[in-house]
């Protein structure tokens, strides 16, 4: 009897340790969200709107007169409905603790690894994933890093039992770190960033030229035998089924990287980071190159630049006709704050909120080639959306009350909320979250 009692107590204590919520089950019946302000994601806003979805797909979007035909009704009066936000250029799900090597799974050894696939390393049990859901991010691009060609990324949903459940688009593109004229180094003792000439630049470009030339010749073969896994992974670059995401920051590097991609026959080059994009706007527009900007909440690249230039850059590019997306490239721990970068772009970039919203929804979906299913709230697309108490781009009113991924009603518990409630209780404070 003592053994049985002890076992029960042990099991009870284990249940006391909070775990991530289980992934949501398939949508069981039609749902209608009514009375809300609907931000479609393409610039359109519907006041007092209704959105209906069934079996994971949106069946109707319109004003208050839209029929709901017996669907489960959720009153969202006074709330705001947005498409699920997309986080590009992220390592969420690929790393947990930066200081614990065993939790880092975003990088392979070697310099040229086009055959590496990030999606098989995506950890759906990560404690980080639920925290970004709570700011409206329902999709993330799992991106490899390291070397010159890091491998291929995949677009993942932020809910699923495993990577097979979570994947929305597998192997959407390859990632290239362009060998620039200068190399940055960071001193962890002084927290200073310094630049020095990149002595390995030409050797790296020569290796890239040889690799891309081989890959293009290989792609022209109908039935290559034996198959080369590295060159197989690059075939989609030449027929337009995959993007080539190029990390480059300085103006001259940006121009050289895009010209290299075009000369090699790459159909869809995409710039990532692009801190100097404002200096080469005409070149980007002329070559129809989309841009995924890196962190905006930073100082400008050069000391004599406008201190607010990083805040203004998204608006500058958008108004010039460049397809722009926002990211926290290289700063995964801040991914959950991505909506507020768009809010900053509104405050400093001379664009309205709906234009800024595109940078996290429809623009990003177009770049990744998933705009046929997500990015906007339209009939026939996935019911991947959030209901917020207020403005999603404002940290004061970004309060997610409901989230749906392909119609599945997501549990919005996360570690941050659990710790908040625990310590409010510890110090005897009223728990405003309950």
């Amino acid at each position: 009897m003592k053994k049985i009692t002890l076992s029960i107590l042990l099991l009870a204590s284990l249940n006391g340790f909070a775990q991530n919520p289980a992934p949501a089950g398939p949508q069981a019946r039609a749902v209608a969200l009514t009375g809300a302000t609907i931000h479609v994601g393409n610039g359109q806003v519907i006041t007092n709107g209704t959105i209906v979805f069934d079996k994971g797909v949106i069946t109707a979007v319109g004003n208050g007169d839209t029929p709901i035909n017996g669907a489960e009704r959720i009153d969202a009066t006074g709330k705001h409905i947005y498409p699920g936000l997309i986080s590009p250029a992220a390592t969420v799900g690929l790393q947990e603790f930066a200081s614990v090597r065993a939790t880092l799974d975003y990088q392979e050894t070697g310099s040229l690894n086009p055959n590496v696939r990030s999606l098989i390393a995506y950890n759906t049990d990560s404690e980080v994933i639920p925290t970004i859901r709570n700011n409206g991010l329902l999709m993330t691009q799992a991106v490899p890093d390291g070397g010159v060609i890091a491998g291929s990324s995949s677009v993942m949903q932020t809910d699923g039992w495993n990577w097979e459940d979570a994947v929305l688009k597998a192997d959407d593109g390859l990632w290239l770190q362009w060998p620039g004229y200068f190399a940055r180094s960071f001193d962890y003792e002084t927290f200073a960033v310094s630049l020095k000439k990149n002595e390995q630049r030409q050797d790296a470009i020569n290796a890239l030229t040889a690799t891309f030339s081989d890959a293009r010749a290989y792609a022209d073969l109908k039935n290559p035998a034996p198959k080369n896994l590295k060159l197989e992974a690059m075939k989609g670059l030449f027929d337009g089924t995959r993007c080539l995401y190029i990390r480059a920051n300085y103006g001259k590097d940006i121009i050289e990287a895009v010209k290299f991609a075009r000369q090699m026959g790459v159909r869809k080059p995409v710039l990532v980071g692009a801190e100097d994009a404002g200096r080469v706007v005409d070149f980007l527009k002329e070559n129809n190159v989309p841009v995924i900007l890196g962190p905006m909440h930073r100082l400008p690249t050069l000391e004599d630049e406008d201190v607010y230039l990083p805040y203004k850059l998204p608006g500058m590019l958008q108004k010039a006709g460049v397809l722009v997306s926002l990211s926290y490239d290289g700063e995964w721990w801040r991914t959950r704050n991505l909506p507020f970068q768009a809010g900053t772009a509104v405050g400093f970039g001379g664009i309205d909120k709906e234009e800024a919203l595109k940078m996290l929804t429809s623009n990003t979906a177009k770049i990744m080639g998933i705009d046929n299913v997500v990015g906007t709230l339209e009939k026939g697309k996935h019911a991947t959306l959030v209901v917020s108490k207020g403005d999603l781009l404002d940290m004061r009113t970004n309060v997610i009350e409901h989230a749906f991924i392909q119609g599945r009603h997501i549990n919005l518990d996360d570690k941050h909320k659990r710790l908040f409630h625990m310590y409010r209780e510890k110090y005897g404070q009223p728990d405003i979250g309950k």
Side-chain angles (χ1 to χ4, degrees), residues 32-68:
L33 303 172
T34 63
T37 299
I38 300 175
H39 303 262
V40 178
N42 58 5
Q44 182 184 4
V45 178
I46 302 172
T47 57
N48 189 28
T50 296
I51 182 167
V52 186
F53 49 95
D54 190 18
K55 297 177 182 178
V57 176
I58 297 172
T59 58
V61 182
N63 56 28
D65 297 329
T66 302
I68 63 176

Side-chain angles (χ1 to χ4, degrees), residues 100-173:
V100 181
R101 185 177 178 181
T103 71
L104 310 182
D105 205 4
Y106 59 86
Q107 183 174 346
E108 282 290 345
T109 58
S111 180
L112 301 172
N113 296 305
N115 54 310
V116 168
R117 305 176 73 211
S118 64
L119 83 166
I120 61 174
Y122 186 76
N123 176 23
T124 53
D125 293 324
S126 167
E127 289 271 19
V128 179
I129 293 173
T131 68
I132 73 169
R133 285 199 306 243
N134 266 295
N135 275 10
L137 294 154
L138 302 187
M139 290 156 284
T140 184
Q141 187 183 35
V143 172
D145 198 0
V148 180
I149 300 179
S152 64
S153 58
S154 292
V155 185
M156 315 298 289
Q157 298 172 122
T158 56
D159 182 70
W161 286 103
N162 47 49
W163 68 261
E164 292 97 332
D165 289 343
V167 65
L168 180 63
K169 183 176 182 179
D171 304 320
D172 68 293

Side-chain angles (χ1 to χ4, degrees), residues 177-190:
Q177 176 68 56
W178 181 252
Y181 284 92
F182 298 98
R184 288 183 180 179
S185 61
F186 182 77
D187 189 328
Y188 285 93
E189 292 187 2
T190 63

Side-chain angles (χ1 to χ4, degrees), residues 288-361:
N288 193 29
V289 178
V291 175
I292 300 175
L293 291 173
M296 290 168 51
H297 297 154
R298 60 175 176 84
L299 292 173
T301 307
L302 302 177
E303 292 182 359
D304 58 350
E305 287 181 331
D306 179 359
V307 71
Y308 295 123
L309 181 59
Y311 303 165
K312 298 175 180 178
L313 186 56
M316 290 169 54
L317 296 176
Q318 184 105 318
K319 287 186 284 188
V322 177
L323 189 62
V324 184
S325 176
L326 303 179
S327 78
Y328 265 117
D329 180 34
E331 298 185 5
W332 66 275
W333 64 93
R334 292 205 287 171
T335 298
R336 69 190 305 270
N337 293 325
L338 191 56
F340 314 136
Q341 285 205 142
T344 301
V346 173
F348 291 85
I351 56 175
D352 63 30
K353 292 179 180 178
E354 302 310 314
E355 285 296 306
L357 179 65
K358 290 180 182 180
M359 298 178 187
L360 301 178
T361 55

Side-chain angles (χ1 to χ4, degrees), residues 111-112 148-149 176-179 200-218 231 234 237-238 244 256-257 259-266:
S111 180
L112 301 172
V148 180
I149 300 179
L176 165 64
Q177 176 68 56
W178 181 252
Q200 286 78 42
R201 176 178 179 276
Q202 194 55 52
D203 290 340
I205 291 177
N206 292 342
L208 278 176
T209 302
T211 301
F212 272 80
S213 297
D214 290 346
R216 189 173 185 180
Y218 183 88
L231 301 185
M234 299 178 70
L237 300 178
F238 309 109
L244 178 64
E256 285 198 349
K259 286 184 175 179
F260 171 85
R262 294 299 191 198
Q263 289 168 0
M264 291 295 144
V266 174

